Amino acid sequence: MIYTVTLNPSIDYVVEVNELTAGEIMRTKAEDLIFGGKGINVSSMLAQLGMKSCALGFIAGFTGDALEQGVAAMGIQPDFLKVEQGFTRINVKVHAQEESEINGQGPQIRYTHLEQLIKKLDRLKKDDILVLSGNVPGSIPQDIYADIMQHLQGSGIRVCVDARQEALMSTLVYHPFLIKPNHKELAEMFEVELSSREDLLVYAKELQAMGARNVLVSMAEQGALLLTETQEVYHAPACRGKVVNSVGAGDSMVAGFLYGYLREQSYAAALRYGTACGSASAFSKGIADRKTVEELLVQLKEREAC
């Protein structure tokens, strides 16, 4: 079973207007509600692929109730903890001549809530997969992912971490099964400029030396690079298509990687599925559907055969 943790999930209110003008009343030409957060995005893509997952995290207020119902309607098993203060955040995303965002804060999460989450994680079994992804809210210690992994140490649970800076680096000593920085995040971690695939591989190996088992680096139009725990190096080319919205693409890549690995027990297949899923969501308004993923899988296989 795959479990995803989203510490601060959200409802994204996405609106399109012809032109955004400060101080004026405007009418939308299109609008949508998207239930998300990085872990939920992973679960959403898994649901599109026909794989079950359970979404954990914190919700609050009437928006939390709406998010829980929305997640269940997507075919994801919700198992959120409801906290008392605040409400699940609403992020306003305006698409006009430029894209603008106003992101909410989310509820107040206390230490007792974190203890309750960790108790929930005690039910996971050997060979289950736990995905820890997203930024850590300011009310929570930035090394919370490391605390969770320390608590689960020796349980045989495979943990995937998709986070930035301290939230990610602090987990490496506990040997996460998979980490997925993008090329910009990798450069930020080591305060360097990365100009080639060889440069990326050097620092992916640094992360592996620090404890990561598998390192997956997404490289936008340059595709993706995978360094496996058996020291194999794979590269997948970028899929051809028009980028519509990059939000959720990295999360979709994580979901596709896990799906491909569990389905075929092959890191090469995991990278192929991850690349197809990530690209499919980048080419879609939200998390992509299975049909779009399958079309890109065919494209990748044809390019590999050339």
Side-chain angles (χ1 to χ4, degrees), residues 20-36:
L20 181 63
T21 307
E24 297 293 330
I25 296 175
M26 291 154 282
R27 302 286 182 184
T28 65
K29 64 179 182 180
E31 52 193 293
D32 196 10
L33 288 176
I34 299 173
F35 304 101

PDB file of all heavy atoms in Angstrom, residues 20-36:
ATOM      1  N   LEU A  20      -5.865  41.092 -15.808  1.00  0.00           N
ATOM      2  CA  LEU A  20      -5.869  41.399 -14.381  1.00  0.00           C
ATOM      3  C   LEU A  20      -5.468  42.863 -14.197  1.00  0.00           C
ATOM      4  O   LEU A  20      -4.362  43.265 -14.547  1.00  0.00           O
ATOM      5  CB  LEU A  20      -4.892  40.484 -13.644  1.00  0.00           C
ATOM      6  CG  LEU A  20      -4.800  40.662 -12.128  1.00  0.00           C
ATOM      7  CD1 LEU A  20      -6.124  40.349 -11.452  1.00  0.00           C
ATOM      8  CD2 LEU A  20      -3.703  39.755 -11.557  1.00  0.00           C
ATOM      9  N   THR A  21      -6.406  43.659 -13.647  1.00  0.00           N
ATOM     10  CA  THR A  21      -6.165  45.083 -13.460  1.00  0.00           C
ATOM     11  C   THR A  21      -6.396  45.437 -11.999  1.00  0.00           C
ATOM     12  O   THR A  21      -7.502  45.247 -11.472  1.00  0.00           O
ATOM     13  CB  THR A  21      -7.100  45.929 -14.351  1.00  0.00           C
ATOM     14  OG1 THR A  21      -6.985  45.497 -15.713  1.00  0.00           O
ATOM     15  CG2 THR A  21      -6.746  47.406 -14.252  1.00  0.00           C
ATOM     16  N   ALA A  22      -5.379  45.920 -11.336  1.00  0.00           N
ATOM     17  CA  ALA A  22      -5.494  46.268  -9.915  1.00  0.00           C
ATOM     18  C   ALA A  22      -6.542  47.355  -9.695  1.00  0.00           C
ATOM     19  O   ALA A  22      -6.619  48.328 -10.451  1.00  0.00           O
ATOM     20  CB  ALA A  22      -4.141  46.729  -9.380  1.00  0.00           C
ATOM     21  N   GLY A  23      -7.372  47.172  -8.668  1.00  0.00           N
ATOM     22  CA  GLY A  23      -8.372  48.166  -8.303  1.00  0.00           C
ATOM     23  C   GLY A  23      -9.651  48.114  -9.110  1.00  0.00           C
ATOM     24  O   GLY A  23     -10.556  48.923  -8.887  1.00  0.00           O
ATOM     25  N   GLU A  24      -9.755  47.177 -10.054  1.00  0.00           N
ATOM     26  CA  GLU A  24     -10.944  47.072 -10.901  1.00  0.00           C
ATOM     27  C   GLU A  24     -11.751  45.817 -10.565  1.00  0.00           C
ATOM     28  O   GLU A  24     -11.214  44.844 -10.030  1.00  0.00           O
ATOM     29  CB  GLU A  24     -10.535  47.024 -12.379  1.00  0.00           C
ATOM     30  CG  GLU A  24      -9.832  48.270 -12.893  1.00  0.00           C
ATOM     31  CD  GLU A  24     -10.751  49.469 -12.932  1.00  0.00           C
ATOM     32  OE1 GLU A  24     -11.974  49.304 -13.123  1.00  0.00           O
ATOM     33  OE2 GLU A  24     -10.245  50.599 -12.750  1.00  0.00           O
ATOM     34  N   ILE A  25     -13.054  45.858 -10.863  1.00  0.00           N
ATOM     35  CA  ILE A  25     -13.895  44.665 -10.750  1.00  0.00           C
ATOM     36  C   ILE A  25     -13.788  43.892 -12.056  1.00  0.00           C
ATOM     37  O   ILE A  25     -13.990  44.439 -13.143  1.00  0.00           O
ATOM     38  CB  ILE A  25     -15.362  45.053 -10.479  1.00  0.00           C
ATOM     39  CG1 ILE A  25     -15.479  45.749  -9.117  1.00  0.00           C
ATOM     40  CG2 ILE A  25     -16.259  43.812 -10.517  1.00  0.00           C
ATOM     41  CD1 ILE A  25     -16.862  46.279  -8.814  1.00  0.00           C
ATOM     42  N   MET A  26     -13.460  42.611 -11.943  1.00  0.00           N
ATOM     43  CA  MET A  26     -13.290  41.765 -13.127  1.00  0.00           C
ATOM     44  C   MET A  26     -14.209  40.555 -13.042  1.00  0.00           C
ATOM     45  O   MET A  26     -14.616  40.131 -11.958  1.00  0.00           O
ATOM     46  CB  MET A  26     -11.833  41.302 -13.245  1.00  0.00           C
ATOM     47  CG  MET A  26     -10.867  42.413 -13.593  1.00  0.00           C
ATOM     48  SD  MET A  26      -9.185  42.075 -13.011  1.00  0.00           S
ATOM     49  CE  MET A  26      -9.345  42.467 -11.287  1.00  0.00           C
ATOM     50  N   ARG A  27     -14.543  39.999 -14.183  1.00  0.00           N
ATOM     51  CA  ARG A  27     -15.369  38.799 -14.262  1.00  0.00           C
ATOM     52  C   ARG A  27     -14.515  37.640 -14.769  1.00  0.00           C
ATOM     53  O   ARG A  27     -13.691  37.812 -15.670  1.00  0.00           O
ATOM     54  CB  ARG A  27     -16.553  39.000 -15.211  1.00  0.00           C
ATOM     55  CG  ARG A  27     -17.458  40.167 -14.840  1.00  0.00           C
ATOM     56  CD  ARG A  27     -18.308  39.848 -13.641  1.00  0.00           C
ATOM     57  NE  ARG A  27     -19.199  40.962 -13.323  1.00  0.00           N
ATOM     58  CZ  ARG A  27     -19.999  40.989 -12.269  1.00  0.00           C
ATOM     59  NH1 ARG A  27     -20.004  39.962 -11.421  1.00  0.00           N
ATOM     60  NH2 ARG A  27     -20.773  42.019 -12.035  1.00  0.00           N
ATOM     61  N   THR A  28     -14.724  36.486 -14.180  1.00  0.00           N
ATOM     62  CA  THR A  28     -13.972  35.323 -14.654  1.00  0.00           C
ATOM     63  C   THR A  28     -14.576  34.800 -15.947  1.00  0.00           C
ATOM     64  O   THR A  28     -15.777  34.897 -16.173  1.00  0.00           O
ATOM     65  CB  THR A  28     -13.979  34.203 -13.601  1.00  0.00           C
ATOM     66  OG1 THR A  28     -15.318  33.716 -13.430  1.00  0.00           O
ATOM     67  CG2 THR A  28     -13.452  34.690 -12.266  1.00  0.00           C
ATOM     68  N   LYS A  29     -13.704  34.230 -16.781  1.00  0.00           N
ATOM     69  CA  LYS A  29     -14.199  33.540 -17.975  1.00  0.00           C
ATOM     70  C   LYS A  29     -14.158  32.025 -17.791  1.00  0.00           C
ATOM     71  O   LYS A  29     -14.739  31.282 -18.569  1.00  0.00           O
ATOM     72  CB  LYS A  29     -13.407  33.961 -19.209  1.00  0.00           C
ATOM     73  CG  LYS A  29     -11.933  33.605 -19.212  1.00  0.00           C
ATOM     74  CD  LYS A  29     -11.285  34.053 -20.512  1.00  0.00           C
ATOM     75  CE  LYS A  29      -9.809  33.662 -20.564  1.00  0.00           C
ATOM     76  NZ  LYS A  29      -9.174  34.085 -21.831  1.00  0.00           N
ATOM     77  N   ALA A  30     -13.459  31.591 -16.751  1.00  0.00           N
ATOM     78  CA  ALA A  30     -13.424  30.168 -16.388  1.00  0.00           C
ATOM     79  C   ALA A  30     -12.935  30.061 -14.957  1.00  0.00           C
ATOM     80  O   ALA A  30     -12.196  30.922 -14.481  1.00  0.00           O
ATOM     81  CB  ALA A  30     -12.511  29.382 -17.320  1.00  0.00           C
ATOM     82  N   GLU A  31     -13.389  29.042 -14.260  1.00  0.00           N
ATOM     83  CA  GLU A  31     -12.942  28.830 -12.887  1.00  0.00           C
ATOM     84  C   GLU A  31     -13.029  27.359 -12.531  1.00  0.00           C
ATOM     85  O   GLU A  31     -13.789  26.601 -13.135  1.00  0.00           O
ATOM     86  CB  GLU A  31     -13.759  29.672 -11.903  1.00  0.00           C
ATOM     87  CG  GLU A  31     -15.256  29.523 -12.019  1.00  0.00           C
ATOM     88  CD  GLU A  31     -15.991  30.616 -11.240  1.00  0.00           C
ATOM     89  OE1 GLU A  31     -15.894  30.607 -10.005  1.00  0.00           O
ATOM     90  OE2 GLU A  31     -16.664  31.445 -11.875  1.00  0.00           O
ATOM     91  N   ASP A  32     -12.217  26.967 -11.551  1.00  0.00           N
ATOM     92  CA  ASP A  32     -12.170  25.557 -11.168  1.00  0.00           C
ATOM     93  C   ASP A  32     -11.690  25.444  -9.731  1.00  0.00           C
ATOM     94  O   ASP A  32     -11.003  26.334  -9.216  1.00  0.00           O
ATOM     95  CB  ASP A  32     -11.207  24.799 -12.096  1.00  0.00           C
ATOM     96  CG  ASP A  32     -11.387  23.288 -12.020  1.00  0.00           C
ATOM     97  OD1 ASP A  32     -12.377  22.831 -11.405  1.00  0.00           O
ATOM     98  OD2 ASP A  32     -10.530  22.582 -12.570  1.00  0.00           O
ATOM     99  N   LEU A  33     -12.077  24.354  -9.070  1.00  0.00           N
ATOM    100  CA  LEU A  33     -11.582  24.032  -7.739  1.00  0.00           C
ATOM    101  C   LEU A  33     -10.737  22.771  -7.843  1.00  0.00           C
ATOM    102  O   LEU A  33     -11.183  21.758  -8.386  1.00  0.00           O
ATOM    103  CB  LEU A  33     -12.743  23.794  -6.765  1.00  0.00           C
ATOM    104  CG  LEU A  33     -13.550  25.013  -6.312  1.00  0.00           C
ATOM    105  CD1 LEU A  33     -14.707  24.561  -5.431  1.00  0.00           C
ATOM    106  CD2 LEU A  33     -12.674  25.999  -5.551  1.00  0.00           C
ATOM    107  N   ILE A  34      -9.518  22.833  -7.313  1.00  0.00           N
ATOM    108  CA  ILE A  34      -8.618  21.682  -7.358  1.00  0.00           C
ATOM    109  C   ILE A  34      -8.196  21.353  -5.938  1.00  0.00           C
ATOM    110  O   ILE A  34      -7.712  22.220  -5.205  1.00  0.00           O
ATOM    111  CB  ILE A  34      -7.377  21.983  -8.227  1.00  0.00           C
ATOM    112  CG1 ILE A  34      -7.808  22.291  -9.663  1.00  0.00           C
ATOM    113  CG2 ILE A  34      -6.403  20.809  -8.196  1.00  0.00           C
ATOM    114  CD1 ILE A  34      -6.670  22.754 -10.554  1.00  0.00           C
ATOM    115  N   PHE A  35      -8.386  20.107  -5.553  1.00  0.00           N
ATOM    116  CA  PHE A  35      -7.994  19.658  -4.219  1.00  0.00           C
ATOM    117  C   PHE A  35      -6.573  19.126  -4.317  1.00  0.00           C
ATOM    118  O   PHE A  35      -6.303  18.182  -5.049  1.00  0.00           O
ATOM    119  CB  PHE A  35      -8.954  18.577  -3.722  1.00  0.00           C
ATOM    120  CG  PHE A  35     -10.389  19.034  -3.717  1.00  0.00           C
ATOM    121  CD1 PHE A  35     -11.262  18.668  -4.733  1.00  0.00           C
ATOM    122  CD2 PHE A  35     -10.862  19.850  -2.707  1.00  0.00           C
ATOM    123  CE1 PHE A  35     -12.577  19.098  -4.744  1.00  0.00           C
ATOM    124  CE2 PHE A  35     -12.174  20.293  -2.704  1.00  0.00           C
ATOM    125  CZ  PHE A  35     -13.039  19.921  -3.724  1.00  0.00           C
ATOM    126  N   GLY A  36      -5.665  19.763  -3.565  1.00  0.00           N
ATOM    127  CA  GLY A  36      -4.277  19.389  -3.776  1.00  0.00           C
ATOM    128  C   GLY A  36      -3.359  19.586  -2.599  1.00  0.00           C
ATOM    129  O   GLY A  36      -3.758  19.576  -1.443  1.00  0.00           O
TER     130      GLY A  36
END
